[in-house]
Coordinates of all heavy atoms in Angstrom, one line a residue:
S158 N -37.9 87.9 160.1 CA -38.7 89.1 160.5 C -38.8 89.2 162.1 O -39.0 90.2 162.6 CB -40.2 89.0 160.0 OG -40.8 87.8 160.4
L159 N -38.6 88.0 162.7 CA -38.7 88.0 164.2 C -37.4 88.4 164.8 O -37.4 89.2 165.8 CB -39.1 86.6 164.7 CG -40.5 86.2 164.4 CD1 -40.8 84.8 164.8 CD2 -41.5 87.1 165.1
L160 N -36.3 87.9 164.3 CA -35.0 88.2 164.9 C -34.2 89.1 164.0 O -33.3 88.8 163.3 CB -34.2 86.9 165.2 CG -33.1 87.0 166.2 CD1 -33.7 87.3 167.6 CD2 -32.3 85.6 166.3
T161 N -34.6 90.4 164.0 CA -34.0 91.4 163.2 C -32.7 91.9 163.9 O -32.5 91.6 165.1 CB -34.9 92.6 162.9 OG1 -35.3 93.2 164.2 CG2 -36.2 92.1 162.2
N162 N -31.9 92.7 163.2 CA -30.7 93.3 163.8 C -31.1 94.2 165.0 O -30.4 94.2 166.0 CB -30.0 94.1 162.8 CG -29.3 93.2 161.8 OD1 -29.0 92.1 162.1 ND2 -29.0 93.8 160.6
G163 N -32.3 94.9 165.0 CA -32.7 95.7 166.1 C -33.0 94.8 167.3 O -32.6 95.2 168.4
V164 N -33.7 93.7 167.1 CA -34.1 92.8 168.2 C -32.8 92.2 168.8 O -32.6 92.1 170.0 CB -35.0 91.7 167.7 CG1 -35.2 90.7 168.8 CG2 -36.4 92.3 167.3
T165 N -31.9 91.8 167.9 CA -30.6 91.3 168.4 C -29.8 92.3 169.2 O -29.2 91.9 170.2 CB -29.8 90.8 167.1 OG1 -30.5 89.9 166.3 CG2 -28.5 90.1 167.6
S166 N -29.8 93.5 168.8 CA -29.1 94.6 169.6 C -29.7 94.7 171.0 O -29.0 94.9 172.0 CB -29.1 95.9 168.8 OG -28.5 95.8 167.6
K167 N -31.1 94.6 171.0 CA -31.8 94.7 172.3 C -31.4 93.5 173.2 O -31.3 93.7 174.4 CB -33.3 94.8 172.1 CG -33.7 96.2 171.5 CD -35.2 96.2 171.2 CE -35.6 97.5 170.5 NZ -37.1 97.5 170.2
I168 N -31.3 92.4 172.6 CA -30.9 91.2 173.4 C -29.5 91.4 174.0 O -29.2 91.1 175.1 CB -31.0 89.9 172.6 CG1 -32.4 89.6 172.2 CG2 -30.4 88.7 173.3 CD1 -32.6 88.4 171.2
G169 N -28.6 91.9 173.1 CA -27.3 92.2 173.6 C -27.2 93.2 174.7 O -26.5 93.0 175.7
L170 N -28.0 94.2 174.7 CA -28.1 95.2 175.8 C -28.7 94.6 177.0 O -28.3 94.8 178.1 CB -29.0 96.4 175.3 CG -28.3 97.4 174.4 CD1 -29.3 98.4 173.9 CD2 -27.1 98.0 175.0
A171 N -29.7 93.7 176.9 CA -30.3 93.0 178.0 C -29.2 92.1 178.7 O -29.2 92.0 179.9 CB -31.5 92.2 177.5
I172 N -28.4 91.5 177.9 CA -27.3 90.6 178.5 C -26.4 91.5 179.3 O -25.9 91.2 180.4 CB -26.6 89.9 177.4 CG1 -27.5 88.8 176.8 CG2 -25.3 89.2 177.9 CD1 -26.9 88.1 175.5
L173 N -26.0 92.7 178.7 CA -25.1 93.6 179.4 C -25.7 94.1 180.7 O -25.0 94.0 181.8 CB -24.8 94.8 178.5 CG -23.9 95.9 179.1 CD1 -22.5 95.3 179.4 CD2 -23.8 97.0 178.1
F174 N -26.9 94.5 180.7 CA -27.6 95.0 181.9 C -27.7 93.9 182.9 O -27.6 94.1 184.1 CB -28.9 95.7 181.6 CG -28.8 97.0 181.0 CD1 -29.3 97.3 179.8 CD2 -28.1 98.0 181.6 CE1 -29.2 98.6 179.2 CE2 -27.9 99.3 181.1 CZ -28.5 99.6 179.9
R175 N -28.0 92.7 182.5 CA -28.1 91.6 183.4 C -26.8 91.3 184.1 O -26.8 91.1 185.3 CB -28.6 90.3 182.6 CG -28.8 89.1 183.5 CD -28.9 87.8 182.7 NE -29.5 86.7 183.4 CZ -29.4 85.5 183.1 NH1 -28.7 85.1 182.0 NH2 -29.9 84.5 183.9
C176 N -25.7 91.2 183.4 CA -24.4 91.0 184.0 C -24.0 92.0 185.0 O -23.7 91.7 186.1 CB -23.3 90.9 182.9 SG -23.6 89.6 181.7
L177 N -24.1 93.3 184.6 CA -23.7 94.4 185.5 C -24.7 94.5 186.6 O -24.3 94.8 187.8 CB -23.6 95.7 184.7 CG -22.5 95.7 183.6 CD1 -22.5 97.0 182.8 CD2 -21.1 95.5 184.2
G178 N -26.0 94.4 186.3 CA -27.0 94.6 187.4 C -26.9 93.6 188.5 O -27.1 93.9 189.6
L179 N -26.6 92.3 188.1 CA -26.6 91.3 189.1 C -25.3 91.4 190.0 O -25.4 91.2 191.2 CB -26.5 89.9 188.4 CG -27.9 89.3 187.9 CD1 -27.6 88.1 187.1 CD2 -28.8 89.1 189.1
H180 N -24.2 91.8 189.4 CA -23.0 91.7 190.1 C -22.4 93.0 190.6 O -21.4 93.0 191.4 CB -21.9 91.0 189.2 CG -22.2 89.5 189.1 ND1 -22.9 89.1 188.0 CD2 -22.0 88.5 189.9 CE1 -23.0 87.7 188.1 NE2 -22.5 87.4 189.2
L181 N -22.9 94.1 190.2 CA -22.4 95.4 190.6 C -22.5 95.6 192.1 O -21.6 96.1 192.8 CB -23.0 96.6 189.9 CG -22.3 97.9 190.0 CD1 -20.9 97.8 189.4 CD2 -23.1 99.0 189.2
P182 N -23.6 95.2 192.7 CA -23.7 95.4 194.2 C -22.8 94.4 195.0 O -22.5 94.7 196.2 CB -25.2 95.0 194.5 CG -25.9 95.1 193.2 CD -24.9 94.7 192.2
L183 N -22.4 93.3 194.4 CA -21.7 92.3 195.2 C -20.4 92.7 195.9 O -20.2 92.5 197.1 CB -21.4 91.0 194.4 CG -22.6 90.1 194.2 CD1 -22.2 89.0 193.2 CD2 -23.0 89.5 195.5
P184 N -19.5 93.4 195.2 CA -18.2 93.8 195.8 C -18.5 94.7 197.0 O -17.8 94.6 198.1 CB -17.5 94.6 194.7 CG -18.0 94.1 193.5 CD -19.4 93.8 193.7
F185 N -19.5 95.6 196.9 CA -19.8 96.6 198.0 C -20.4 95.8 199.2 O -20.1 96.1 200.4 CB -20.8 97.7 197.5 CG -20.2 98.4 196.4 CD1 -20.6 98.2 195.1 CD2 -19.2 99.4 196.6 CE1 -20.0 98.9 194.0 CE2 -18.7 100.2 195.6 CZ -19.1 99.9 194.3
L186 N -21.3 94.8 198.9 CA -21.9 94.0 200.0 C -20.9 93.2 200.7 O -20.8 93.2 202.0 CB -23.0 93.1 199.4 CG -24.3 93.7 198.9 CD1 -25.2 92.7 198.2 CD2 -25.1 94.4 200.1
L187 N -20.0 92.5 200.0 CA -19.0 91.7 200.6 C -18.0 92.5 201.4 O -17.4 92.0 202.4 CB -18.3 90.8 199.5 CG -19.2 89.8 198.8 CD1 -18.5 89.1 197.7 CD2 -19.7 88.7 199.8
A188 N -17.7 93.7 200.9 CA -16.7 94.5 201.6 C -17.2 95.0 203.0 O -16.4 95.3 203.8 CB -16.4 95.8 200.7
H189 N -18.5 95.1 203.1 CA -19.1 95.6 204.4 C -19.8 94.5 205.2 O -20.4 94.8 206.3 CB -20.1 96.7 204.1 CG -19.5 97.9 203.5 ND1 -19.3 98.1 202.1 CD2 -18.9 99.0 204.1 CE1 -18.7 99.3 201.9 NE2 -18.4 99.8 203.1

Side-chain angles (χ1 to χ4, degrees):
S158 59
L159 290 175
L160 202 61
T161 61
N162 289 336
V164 172
T165 305
S166 300
K167 291 177 182 177
I168 293 175
L170 287 174
I172 291 173
L173 178 63
F174 284 123
R175 183 194 194 198
C176 298
L177 295 178
L179 280 175
H180 290 96
L181 195 58
L183 279 175
F185 302 100
L186 288 174
L187 293 173
H189 293 90

